[in-house]
Amino acid sequence: MSSPVLGIMTLYLNEHRALEERSIYRRMILEGRKRGLDIYVFTPADVHPGGKQIEAMVFHEEKGWSREWRSFPDLIFDRCRIQRNRRFQQLLAFRQKYGHLLFLNRPLRNKWTIHQTLSEKSAFREHLPETVLFQDMSDVNRMLKASSLVYLKPINGTGGRGILRVERSSSEANTVLVQGRDQKRRIITPRKVHLSRLGALLQHWNMKDKYLVQKGIQLQLPNGRVHDYRMLVQKNGEGQWELTGCAGRMGAEKSVTSNLHGGGQAVAMSRLMKQWISDEELRAEINTTAEKFGIDVASFLEDTYGDLCELALDLAIDKSGHIYLLEVNPKPAREVFARIGERDIYYKAITQPLDYALWVYRNKPSDVGVSRRPAVPKPTTPKSARVKRTRRIK
């Protein structure tokens, strides 16, 4: 009996076919092999125009990465993150054309839509910072009247790109301090401006219908750096949601976000929270509440948007111990656990999707998804585009 096949679908980062998480995929392939799961990596650009085969990336310990023409997989693990280019358009076309295939996870919506969806459930509302969709500067001014701290976030942003922090000065009337990162994740020079000039400063950011205005939560540690927590919840080998792990993140100096790709530092959750909240009993209560909250959010979003297999929740905790949901990420990275030395959790974060994939394969209805097609002859391609059956990837 042949092994079930899992295709990890991602997007190239550039025209040189660079991949962001190749080391993770390599480990998934090796761990899958131990479980009797055949795994390869592909992008929508690798699908043959005839729609029958995929020029897949495969990994073997003895020869490293290479390419092979492969049939469509039994299951697809979608790891594609938002890009603003033709590669993302290829992804949208793939999802539309092959939406009948068996996916472990379906795409979520933008941050504004997710916020609105979660707001529908009363149990979640108290964990959501006040948020509106930016229409004009009146939204920012109104929020600044109610709160001394406001964040401006792109509705489709990732990795801290384009996030601005606007804080009212405690010593200078009608003055705010603007900090943040540009779209390339670079820290912008902090500026003090009069409220009347804030609109002019933000004008070139093109925010209408593309940004959120969100009430800020004071999260600066005694060293002046901001912090939050990254929680990972995943489906296990029995198809049930469970907490995989939660780690603290401390932002780089002068950064308004804690993202690791922006220079942030990973810290064990227990160690970071102890710096913030001294009451041990309260910390234990926070951990219990956060775990239940994370699983409830994942279950609710899956019921709303379709199949999911993992989610990362970025959580903020104020001094009183109240938990706020800052963001939901359906394509989470895992390196935060490796960076804090929690190797068992890191291993679990890598292997849980594989165990879940096997559970889905064994329990799928006979009329759902698509069976792996038998091997077919290599597609005919123009001479200039021909590749060997197997070739090394540099």
Side-chain angles (χ1 to χ4, degrees):
M1 183 176 177
S2 60
S3 300
V5 180
L6 174 66
I8 300 176
M9 183 170 69
T10 184
L11 291 177
Y12 294 124
L13 295 177
N14 53 40
E15 300 307 315
H16 303 291
R17 290 182 161 188
L19 290 181
E20 186 174 12
E21 296 185 303
R22 185 176 291 191
S23 63
I24 298 291
Y25 301 149
R26 176 182 59 80
R27 187 154 183 192
M28 283 184 167
I29 289 171
L30 296 176
E31 292 295 336
R33 207 163 282 156
K34 296 175 186 176
R35 292 162 166 76
L37 183 63
D38 180 14
I39 302 176
Y40 65 71
V41 181
F42 75 101
T43 80
D46 299 323
V47 178
H48 187 268
K52 299 284 188 183
Q53 286 193 310
I54 295 171
E55 189 191 11
M57 290 165 272
V58 298
F59 182 83
H60 296 282
E61 288 185 277
E62 59 277 8
K63 62 181 180 180
W65 287 98
S66 60
R67 290 187 182 275
E68 296 177 2
W69 285 106
R70 297 288 300 268
S71 299
F72 271 67
D74 296 302
L75 310 100
I76 296 176
F77 182 23
D78 186 343
R79 288 289 300 164
C80 301
R81 293 171 175 149
I82 291 174
Q83 296 182 7
R84 294 177 177 85
N85 52 40
R86 65 177 182 83
R87 292 186 292 274
F88 194 74
Q89 297 306 311
Q90 289 175 327
L91 169 65
L92 298 180
F94 180 94
R95 286 173 176 165
Q96 183 173 16
K97 184 174 181 179
Y98 299 104
H100 62 282
L101 301 185
L102 189 55
F103 285 76
L104 297 186
N105 52 337
R106 297 287 176 174
L108 286 182
R109 304 301 187 266
N110 62 49
K111 295 175 188 177
W112 173 236
T113 305
I114 291 174
H115 176 85
Q116 289 179 300
T117 300
L118 293 174
S119 297
E120 294 172 5
K121 190 165 182 175
S122 58
F124 295 154
R125 280 187 216 124
E126 64 176 303
H127 298 290
L128 302 175
E130 183 183 352
T131 305
V132 298
L133 183 65
F134 181 95
Q135 296 298 311
D136 55 44
M137 278 305 299
S138 66
D139 297 313
V140 180
N141 293 330
R142 187 163 48 248
M143 190 80 74
L144 280 170
K145 284 183 180 179
S147 171
S148 62
L149 178 61
V150 169
Y151 276 85
L152 302 172
K153 301 179 177 181
I155 61 173
N156 285 314
T158 59
R161 295 178 180 85
I163 293 181
L164 296 176
R165 183 182 194 269
V166 182
E167 185 171 20
R168 283 204 324 256
S169 172
S170 58
S171 57
E172 300 177 55
N174 297 319
T175 301
V176 293
L177 176 65
V178 181
Q179 301 169 276
R181 291 180 181 269
D182 64 17
Q183 294 296 343
K184 293 185 178 179
R185 214 188 268 137
R186 296 172 300 202
I187 294 176
I188 63 175
T189 304
R191 291 186 61 178
K192 275 189 177 181
V193 298
H194 193 274
L195 267 174
S196 62
R197 298 291 303 156
L198 182 59
L201 178 64
L202 301 180
Q203 190 172 13
H204 74 280
W205 287 75
N206 190 27
M207 292 183 173
K208 182 173 171 59
D209 292 326
K210 298 178 182 178
Y211 262 71
L212 299 180
V213 184
Q214 189 171 85
K215 179 179 178 180
I217 302 154
Q218 292 290 354
L219 298 172
Q220 286 185 309
L221 295 163
N223 62 10
R225 299 187 181 187
V226 299
H227 77 292
D228 63 15
Y229 302 90
R230 165 58 65 95
M231 171 180 282
L232 179 63
V233 291
Q234 296 176 302
K235 291 277 191 70
N236 60 25
E238 297 177 351
Q240 301 297 315
W241 285 106
E242 67 178 32
L243 172 67
T244 296
C246 193
R249 303 184 305 178
M250 183 168 60
E253 189 175 354
K254 296 182 181 179
S255 174
V256 302
T257 66
S258 64
N259 304 76
L260 301 188
H261 290 300
Q265 176 184 349
V267 185
M269 182 178 184
S270 57
R271 186 175 131 212
L272 188 58
M273 197 183 296
K274 197 177 290 186
Q275 296 181 44
W276 190 243
I277 295 174
S278 59
D279 188 324
E280 184 177 353
E281 189 174 326
L282 178 56
R283 293 200 303 270
E285 182 182 327
I286 290 168
N287 285 329
T288 301
T289 302
E291 178 175 354
K292 182 180 184 304
F293 175 68
I295 292 172
D296 287 348
V297 167
S299 299
F300 182 74
L301 290 177
E302 182 174 46
D303 289 343
T304 304
Y305 294 116
D307 295 325
L308 297 170
C309 70
E310 61 180 4
L311 282 179
L313 287 76
D314 291 344
L315 304 175
I317 302 170
D318 67 17
K319 279 287 190 178
S320 70
H322 190 86
I323 298 168
Y324 292 93
L325 176 61
L326 300 179
E327 190 171 321
V328 176
N329 186 338
K331 311 291 169 55
R334 297 150 224 278
E335 72 268 23
V336 65
F337 301 111
R339 292 197 187 187
I340 60 176
E342 293 184 348
R343 293 290 171 180
D344 291 344
I345 293 178
Y346 181 59
Y347 176 79
K348 185 178 179 181
I350 289 172
T351 57
Q352 283 270 63
L354 312 183
D355 295 334
Y356 175 60
L358 287 169
W359 181 86
V360 171
Y361 181 78
R362 292 166 185 153
N363 291 275
K364 67 182 175 70
S366 57
D367 59 343
V368 173
V370 62
S371 296
R372 184 159 47 100
R373 298 179 179 90
V376 296
K378 175 182 169 183
T380 302
T381 57
K383 186 175 181 180
S384 61
R386 287 179 191 168
V387 295
K388 294 180 181 179
R389 176 72 181 176
T390 302
R391 60 182 171 84
R392 296 287 299 273
I393 297 177
K394 295 180 181 180

